Amino acid sequence: MISFSLGRFSAVLIKEFVQMRRDRVTFAMMIGIPIMQLLLFGFAINSDPKHLPTLVQMDDSGPISRAVLASMRTSDYFDFIGAVTGREEGDRALRDGTANFVVVIPRNFERDVLRGLSPDILLAADASDPTATSGAVAALTGIVDAAVAQSLTGARQPEPRPAEPFSVTVHRQFNPESETPINIVPGLLGIILSMTMVMITAVAIVRESERGTMEALLATPVRPLEVMFGKIIPYILVGYIQTAVFLAAARLLFDVPFLGSPLAFFVGFNLFIAVNLMVGFLISTLARSQMQAMQISFFTLLPTILLSGFMFPFAGMPGWAQAIGNAIPATHFLRITRKVMLKGAGLADITSDMAAIVAITAVVIVIALSRYRQTLD
Amino acid sequence: MNGNAEFAISVRGLTKRFGDRTVVDHFDMDVPRGSIYGFLGPNGSGKTTTIRMMCGLLVPDDGEGECLGYDILTQSRRIKEHVGYMTQRFSLYEDLTIRENLDFIARMFRLKDRASRVDAALEDLDLKDRADQLAGTLSGGWKQRMSLAACMLHEPSLLLLDEPTAGVDPKARRDFWDEIRRLSAKGVTVLVSTHYMDEAVQCDFIAYIAYGRRLISGPAREIPKIIGLHTWRVEGGDISALEEELRKDERVGQVARFGPVLHVSGTDKMALDAVAQEQMKRGTHEWTAREAGLEEAFIYLMAGARDNFAGAGAAR
Ligand SMILES: Nc1ncnc2c1ncn2[C@@H]1O[C@H](COP(=O)(O)OP(=O)(O)OP(=O)(O)O)[C@@H](O)[C@H]1O
Ligand SMILES: [Mg+2]
């Protein structure tokens, strides 16, 4: 530990770069995975899906009601595919997926608007796919508002005029708490980095023992730390490239904002890269073959996706799941990216998240070094 | 050099278990400095495992010893600095060129005049033309040469060579052994495992291991005596027919043919001499008693050689 040789460390580093350059498949994978994932998730990330199939239940047929429907129709969000006559019929369509929305204009809607009773328009939405519907839901109030306001100009002002001439009630069915879709992008970066960094590092290290080159390496006076850093640092660079590609694509393709401090992001991001590489190193000490390394990496990916808050809102998870989630580095990185990218946070706002990542890293390093063998045993 | 002046390697009771299988069992060995020490034994007998324990790549479960005066249990890093270990299986990087591989090893040993030493090594081993070829695209023999170059790069005072000439053509093997003898003359100690008789006979000392246990060891010349081998040399007549006949005779330990000559050997002198007497009475061939040579000893040892742990493995 004490006598660390820069020469040997840089030799391992150079070797690793040369090997990386010659291993076309892995190299392509390192760059390809973030782009592919972003594009795949892009459909879900697209927070503004348009032309969603909509059914209408017209229980009132006055001019204001028709005006509401007309402006919904022109808004791009809703494609009217037909009418239903009762609640059951609408529910069935939502359940079997033929429609994403059922708009219910209640009986006497027009009369109640004019009377200032603020009647309810009911929008029944299939929220089992929240990202698909929430944009439209958010837009609805505005659309209806404009339509009603237009119809009300002139003589037919309601007396007395209430603050809102009507209200829109949304029934989210099948998934009451829908997530804000924009959350997915910063989260996705965490997932992609967890996946590729951990796996590539683990595989690169296990490759030495699988191909037998570990024997020649260990027969030299090289020290574990020299090997560890020499092998890991090239992949930090890979993480940088992946992140740059990802952020650029997120900005260009999906208009994801970056509101906070770049410095805060940079620091948090480096910590996250470091912890992932250490986890990869740890996995390499557990796996006997590249295949095993890959499998263990994928195995760790599952809780990362499910319990980090990427998939489900962290606050909504049961206590034990939160406890596990807190031990997962991606959980904290997710918070960092969301805070920084979406909420405009600076370095001071993410100290607790960074501390958590540092703590996890320390534990992983201790375990990894204690497991790392300088022999072939 | 510190520690033991007489022996480059001196180990006692070296034991290694994998699971509940004892692969090396209380192995003792003394390798005099500057000698060429042949390490013989059938497949799976534990040669590679023993060598790995000597240079600190495996931790023995039991036993102790010194390598170049350094404790094999506690000073393996010092040992590695002065030992050149050539692994049995190719263990350099197939996706690096020959030069890159040698350069990498040179950096690992922190050699001063790296570039010139790598160049010299390439020159020595006729690898110059192929220096920029990826190691993975080399033929087996060339890979062996490159491994050898790599393990000698830092001018070690002890070479541990694990079947270094497997798959190497005869000329390259002769060159290789010339090199070994040259190094040995300069004071480098060489421990070399081999399955080849022509290599075994070039060694100063021999150890024979089977089932993880050292059965025989000593100066090469004395090995036949240690085994207790007696030999008759037979010439003339229809040698093939005689060979056939003697092979069926239970009193004869082994029959080795060298061109028109048979060497008939066995450890049971009485039985063997009885056969010779009978044959001499027939008078078809010329029988002369001779001292058993290392060739006979080698054949004798190898005849007992089957994959040592195969049976044990299958039984589990
Ligand atoms: N890492 C290991 N785990 C389990 N068993 C092992 C391990 N390494 C070696 N062995 C077993 O130990 C025994 C001795 O192996 P070793 O490689 O030392 O033999 P060897 O004398 O070098 O054979 P060969 O002439 O074929 O090279 C073999 O039965 C082998 O299967
Ligand atoms: Mg072997």
Side-chain angles (χ1 to χ4, degrees):
Chain A
M1 293 279 260
I2 310 136
S3 68
F4 180 89
S5 155
L6 271 181
R8 282 197 294 255
F9 155 73
S10 56
V12 178
L13 189 76
I14 293 168
K15 170 193 83 85
E16 210 63 28
F17 270 123
V18 173
Q19 288 185 307
M20 199 197 285
R21 181 161 53 88
R22 297 210 172 118
D23 187 356
R24 292 275 153 78
V25 177
T26 308
F27 200 70
M29 199 174 76
M30 289 186 277
I31 305 302
I33 283 180
I35 296 180
M36 199 180 74
Q37 291 237 356
L38 190 65
L39 291 180
L40 287 180
F41 275 86
F43 295 106
I45 294 167
N46 187 352
S47 54
D48 245 11
K50 306 266 166 85
H51 303 291
L52 299 168
T54 306
L55 288 169
V56 60
Q57 184 184 336
M58 278 289 259
D59 292 343
D60 181 86
S61 56
I64 294 183
S65 308
R66 283 201 303 276
V68 167
L69 278 196
S71 58
M72 281 178 75
R73 196 172 270 132
T74 52
S75 77
D76 290 358
Y77 280 107
F78 305 96
D79 266 3
F80 285 99
I81 57 168
V84 290
T85 49
R87 196 56 208 271
E88 269 165 46
E89 204 183 328
D91 282 352
R92 211 179 308 122
L94 286 181
R95 196 169 296 117
D96 65 23
T98 44
N100 277 13
F101 299 105
V102 180
V103 181
V104 183
I105 309 285
R107 203 174 297 283
N108 302 326
F109 176 72
E110 178 148 355
R111 189 197 69 200
D112 291 348
V113 169
L114 291 175
R115 283 186 187 169
L117 293 177
S118 194
D120 267 354
I121 290 178
L122 176 69
L123 181 70
D126 173 0
S128 67
D129 185 0
T131 46
T133 52
S134 54
V137 168
L140 183 62
T141 312
I143 292 168
V144 177
D145 205 9
V148 172
Q150 212 165 29
S151 311
L152 289 181
T153 47
R156 311 180 69 183
Q157 291 286 346
E159 285 302 331
R161 194 183 172 160
E164 285 291 333
F166 67 96
S167 62
V168 175
T169 303
V170 176
H171 279 187
R172 289 201 173 86
Q173 303 194 351
F174 316 124
N175 177 10
E177 305 135 22
S178 58
E179 263 276 60
T180 316
I182 207 114
N183 266 354
I184 288 181
V185 174
L188 188 60
L189 178 60
I191 300 300
I192 290 174
L193 286 176
S194 301
M195 181 167 142
T196 48
M197 292 283 91
V198 170
M199 193 169 73
I200 291 171
T201 320
V203 166
I205 298 173
V206 171
R207 190 167 48 206
E208 295 264 354
S209 26
E210 194 177 291
R211 292 196 186 159
T213 52
M214 199 55 136
E215 195 173 2
L217 188 62
L218 289 178
T220 71
V222 74
R223 281 149 206 270
L225 275 186
E226 293 157 3
V227 178
M228 191 170 86
F229 285 126
K231 290 198 76 88
I232 274 179
I233 285 174
Y235 296 100
I236 294 186
L237 203 80
V238 173
Y240 276 47
I241 296 174
Q242 286 190 333
T243 306
V245 167
F246 182 89
L247 286 180
R251 189 59 176 269
L252 294 177
L253 299 177
F254 305 110
D255 248 349
V256 178
F258 193 108
L259 304 174
S261 140
L263 175 70
F265 180 84
F266 188 70
V267 174
F269 154 78
N270 277 306
L271 290 176
F272 185 61
I273 296 253
V275 75
N276 277 321
L277 297 177
M278 288 314 307
V279 171
F281 192 80
L282 175 61
I283 290 177
S284 76
T285 65
L286 302 169
R288 293 227 162 248
S289 65
Q290 297 187 61
M291 189 52 129
Q292 274 183 14
M294 207 114 76
Q295 284 166 344
I296 301 176
S297 305
F298 270 117
F299 180 75
T300 64
L301 191 65
L302 212 60
T304 303
I305 290 177
L306 295 178
L307 302 180
S308 64
F310 171 72
M311 205 76 151
F312 311 114
F314 194 81
M317 298 192 317
W320 61 266
Q322 289 195 6
I324 299 175
N326 272 324
I328 297 171
T331 306
H332 306 282
F333 183 63
L334 226 76
R335 291 179 191 157
I336 292 177
T337 49
R338 282 180 185 166
K339 281 181 192 172
V340 174
M341 289 176 74
L342 307 179
K343 299 182 193 166
L347 213 46
D349 304 308
I350 58 167
T351 41
S352 64
D353 307 303
M354 292 193 296
I357 294 182
V358 170
I360 297 171
T361 313
V363 173
V364 175
I365 287 183
V366 169
I367 303 176
L369 276 186
S370 73
R371 284 204 48 93
Y372 181 76
R373 291 276 159 268
Q374 283 189 73
T375 60
L376 294 169
D377 285 271
Chain B
M1 291 291 139
N2 62 350
N4 198 316
E6 192 183 352
F7 296 118
I9 299 175
S10 177
V11 294
R12 292 285 168 274
L14 229 46
T15 301
K16 184 70 193 175
R17 297 181 201 93
F18 289 120
D20 49 3
R21 241 166 95 205
T22 304
V23 165
V24 176
D25 194 359
H26 294 92
F27 186 88
D28 300 342
M29 185 184 251
D30 289 308
V31 179
R33 283 191 192 266
S35 65
I36 302 176
Y37 203 110
F39 197 8
L40 312 183
N43 291 136
S45 55
K47 300 182 296 296
T48 300
T49 307
T50 306
I51 293 176
R52 283 175 174 170
M53 283 191 283
M54 287 169 175
C55 62
L57 286 179
L58 284 175
V59 181
D61 293 311
D62 202 358
E64 54 174 21
E66 283 186 353
C67 195
L68 297 173
Y70 299 112
D71 191 308
I72 62 165
L73 297 176
T74 58
Q75 294 180 295
S76 62
R77 200 182 311 280
R78 305 310 308 274
I79 294 176
K80 286 173 188 177
E81 280 166 15
H82 300 284
V83 168
Y85 170 41
M86 178 171 164
T87 57
Q88 178 172 4
R89 178 182 163 195
F90 182 72
S91 61
L92 294 168
Y93 299 96
E94 304 216 331
D95 45 0
L96 297 187
T97 65
I98 299 177
R99 186 189 297 280
E100 284 165 347
N101 266 301
L102 294 182
D103 192 65
F104 177 72
I105 297 295
R107 283 169 189 268
M108 287 295 109
F109 285 98
R110 298 207 270 176
L111 301 185
K112 288 266 156 31
D113 35 4
R114 206 175 62 236
S116 62
R117 271 163 105 158
V118 168
D119 276 339
L122 288 170
E123 194 88 57
D124 274 358
L125 285 130
D126 262 344
L127 287 168
K128 199 110 206 180
D129 301 339
R130 298 160 182 269
D132 295 318
Q133 191 176 337
L134 289 185
T137 64
L138 290 171
S139 72
W142 282 102
K143 280 186 183 168
Q144 292 297 97
R145 287 198 206 187
M146 172 183 148
S147 305
L148 185 68
C151 78
M152 298 197 312
L153 211 54
H154 60 295
E155 297 180 354
S157 46
L158 169 64
L159 280 174
L160 301 174
L161 308 175
D162 199 356
E163 297 189 30
T165 57
V168 172
D169 68 39
K171 176 181 178 310
R173 247 169 70 189
R174 267 196 308 277
D175 292 348
F176 172 83
W177 273 90
D178 288 346
E179 175 74 8
I180 301 249
R181 267 196 308 275
R182 200 176 56 75
L183 288 169
S184 162
K186 284 203 299 186
V188 175
T189 313
V190 181
L191 175 66
V192 51
S193 79
T194 179
H195 291 294
Y196 297 117
M197 169 160 54
D198 61 327
E199 297 185 356
V201 299
Q202 303 201 49
C203 296
D204 305 323
F205 295 85
I206 299 273
Y208 180 82
I209 182 176
Y211 298 99
R213 251 161 290 175
R214 190 196 62 180
L215 298 187
I216 287 162
S217 74
R221 259 178 254 292
E222 291 170 23
I223 295 295
K225 213 176 291 163
I226 295 170
I227 299 173
L229 206 57
H230 306 277
T231 298
W232 288 84
R233 177 188 160 94
V234 189
E235 269 179 295
D238 183 352
I239 207 81
S240 298
L242 183 65
E243 183 183 358
E244 196 80 346
E245 187 192 333
L246 290 172
R247 277 192 197 285
K248 288 187 194 120
D249 197 320
E250 303 212 326
R251 294 169 296 178
V252 174
Q254 74 187 36
V255 184
R257 174 139 178 205
F258 299 92
V261 181
L262 286 186
H263 286 186
V264 182
S265 328
T267 44
D268 186 343
K269 188 168 182 357
M270 299 259 280
L272 193 68
D273 288 352
V275 174
Q277 296 307 329
E278 287 168 22
Q279 289 289 339
M280 280 191 282
K281 267 183 215 141
R282 275 210 245 154
T284 48
H285 297 79
E286 197 176 308
W287 286 67
T288 34
R290 87 189 276 279
E291 206 173 307
L294 196 53
E295 282 89 351
E296 284 81 53
F298 182 86
I299 294 168
Y300 173 84
L301 291 173
M302 288 303 148
R306 263 162 289 276
D307 187 346
N308 266 202
F309 286 94
R316 211 162 301 274

